[in-house]
Amino acid sequence: MLRVFRNPTYAKLFSAQVIALLGTGLLTVALGLLAFDIAGDAAGSVLGTALTIKMVAYVGVAPLIAAVVDRLPKKAVLVTADLIRLAIAVMLPFVTEAWQIYVLVFVLQSASATFTPAFQSLIPSVLPEPEDYTRALSLSRLAYDLEALLSPTIAAALLTLISYNNLFVGTAVGFACSAILVLPSRLPARTDDGPVLPFWQRLPLGAKVFARTPTLRFLMLTNIVVAAGTAIVLVNSVVYARGVFGLGDQSLALALACYGIGSLVVALNIPWLVDKLGVIRTMITGAVVITAGLAVAVTVTAVATSTGAGWYVLLGTWVLLGIGTSLVNTPSSRLLADASTTANRNLVYTAQFALSHACFLVTYPIAGWLGAANLTGAAIALLILAAVVGAIAVAFARSRLLRADTDMPTVTSQLGR
């Protein structure tokens, strides 16, 4: 897996990703504690609103910006996005009202909606060999999982020495280091893709590829299942830790770390899992695991809210949800790479970025707003959503995709683009 680091451009880009993710992880912990300071037991509602605004930025801004910057140098796009995120991170320690969180989160996540698809679309060009790209996908997922594990751990250690507001400084440092690493990278030169399409023709191009490609329609269904499992963790962990169980600040970091542990275990094993099961079967397994995790979460929540017991069972449930999420997300980029070309790859990746995060416009309000009124009811609603959509995804895969899943490039080329 590590041989891809022989490519110096990929090594720099991967390092930039890891450092920026560590900063983002500190932001997640700090934002949760800031919301609890401002709103107390209603922190889930504040976080649910903030994360919904984040998704609005991802869904509404990402396609627009991608169409605007599609012909611009990728290095300038990445560095500018990092600098904007750095500036917002510096402002967050001075927030005193919920509405200020909402405004700053919108700007910061609009910059992330520019950075992430542009970054992801570069990797197939930097590592054109399918085997190397699969290794890069595993490493990318590993980076996300290490962030989910290490950032809360680092945050927990720092919180014994400093206030949570200082964690935002770590976020700013992460974005600054990311920009510094991208600057000297030799990114692939843009090839001559023919006549430049007008803005309004580029804007829906990625969504059109999704609409006509069966594997990407399957991916869209699994995106919804992932959103259901992720929402309960990201929105309500602080409510469980501080409100239900009455634990300290470090307990939030521990809960998020457990989610990262589950995802990390899978990311380390994805290459051989995909070789053994195929991409589609691996993702179906992940959807089933997420649904099972939400079923356990319903029981844990019902017991915890009535008796105050079950903290360690909750941590185990978060591990299970992390496993399921990684089983879906890690191999999914194989579908994107195979369904796109050099000319439209950035727009296809942006479409996945926007469409996958559009799912959170449903699940974050369920977890946050419904959870503020009835935590068990929110868990039940997310379970029903995951179970119904997961069943549809399995039925669709059985009817259209599973027969040749062991050779994914051949499958998608047969299905058409």
Side-chain angles (χ1 to χ4, degrees), residues 63-139:
L64 289 171
I65 293 182
V68 170
V69 306
D70 187 50
R71 310 299 297 186
L72 298 179
K74 287 290 192 294
K75 183 180 294 188
V77 173
L78 295 175
V79 171
T80 301
D82 268 336
L83 294 178
I84 292 173
R85 295 193 293 181
L86 186 158
I88 298 302
V90 170
M91 298 179 191
L92 280 168
F94 304 102
V95 164
T96 57
E97 302 289 340
W99 69 266
Q100 295 168 347
I101 293 178
Y102 303 151
V103 171
L104 293 179
V105 163
F106 179 80
V107 177
L108 187 148
Q109 300 305 337
S110 294
S112 292
T114 305
F115 182 95
T116 302
F119 174 88
Q120 292 175 336
S121 67
L122 274 173
I123 304 305
S125 299
V126 174
L127 299 171
E129 293 298 323
E131 295 83 1
D132 288 339
Y133 182 53
T134 299
R135 293 184 177 94
L137 292 180
S138 293
L139 287 169

Side-chain angles (χ1 to χ4, degrees), residues 343-415:
N344 66 15
R345 183 160 290 144
N346 185 45
L347 297 177
V348 170
Y349 274 75
T350 300
Q352 160 63 1
F353 187 82
L355 292 172
S356 63
H357 288 91
C359 303
F360 290 99
L361 291 174
V362 176
T363 61
Y364 278 158
I366 291 174
W369 302 340
L370 179 56
N374 189 318
L375 206 55
T376 303
I380 292 172
L382 291 170
L383 169 61
I384 292 172
L385 177 64
V388 171
V389 177
I392 296 171
V394 171
F396 179 77
R398 284 179 174 173
S399 66
R400 299 292 300 273
L401 307 174
L402 280 177
R403 290 183 180 178
D405 183 33
T406 53
D407 187 7
M408 203 62 244
T410 301
V411 173
T412 49
S413 62
Q414 290 173 348
L415 292 171

Side-chain angles (χ1 to χ4, degrees), residues 132-153:
D132 288 339
Y133 182 53
T134 299
R135 293 184 177 94
L137 292 180
S138 293
L139 287 169
S140 181
R141 186 69 236 173
L142 182 62
Y144 280 100
D145 297 335
L146 284 173
E147 176 271 313
L149 176 60
L150 293 179
S151 293
T153 303

Side-chain angles (χ1 to χ4, degrees), residues 15 56 165 179 185 265 290 296:
S15 299
V56 170
N165 272 327
S185 300
V265 169
I290 290 171
V296 177

Side-chain angles (χ1 to χ4, degrees), residues 182-195:
V182 170
L183 275 173
S185 300
R186 286 189 171 186
L187 303 185
R190 173 177 287 279
T191 58
D192 184 7
D193 300 326

Side-chain angles (χ1 to χ4, degrees), residues 237-411:
S237 285
V238 68
V239 179
Y240 284 107
R242 297 293 306 276
V244 175
F245 295 105
L247 302 173
D249 288 351
Q250 291 84 354
S251 60
L252 171 60
L254 177 60
L256 295 174
C258 286
Y259 182 70
I261 288 171
S263 191
L264 175 62
V265 169
V266 171
L268 290 170
N269 293 283
I270 276 294
W272 75 264
L273 279 173
V274 170
D275 286 342
K276 183 178 179 62
L277 300 177
V279 174
I280 301 298
R281 287 184 177 87
T282 301
M283 293 173 67
I284 287 174
T285 303
V288 171
V289 171
I290 290 171
T291 304
L294 285 169
V296 177
V298 170
T299 303
V300 173
T301 305
V303 172
T305 52
S306 59
T307 68
W311 170 243
Y312 293 105
V313 180
L314 179 77
L315 296 182
T317 306
W318 270 208
V319 172
L320 188 62
L321 288 171
I323 289 171
T325 299
S326 190
L327 283 169
V328 175
N329 282 345
T330 306
S332 65
S333 290
R334 281 275 297 271
L335 306 184
L336 295 170
D338 187 52
S340 61
T341 65
T342 302
N344 66 15
R345 183 160 290 144
N346 185 45
L347 297 177
V348 170
Y349 274 75
T350 300
Q352 160 63 1
F353 187 82
L355 292 172
S356 63
H357 288 91
C359 303
F360 290 99
L361 291 174
V362 176
T363 61
Y364 278 158
I366 291 174
W369 302 340
L370 179 56
N374 189 318
L375 206 55
T376 303
I380 292 172
L382 291 170
L383 169 61
I384 292 172
L385 177 64
V388 171
V389 177
I392 296 171
V394 171
F396 179 77
R398 284 179 174 173
S399 66
R400 299 292 300 273
L401 307 174
L402 280 177
R403 290 183 180 178
D405 183 33
T406 53
D407 187 7
M408 203 62 244
T410 301
V411 173

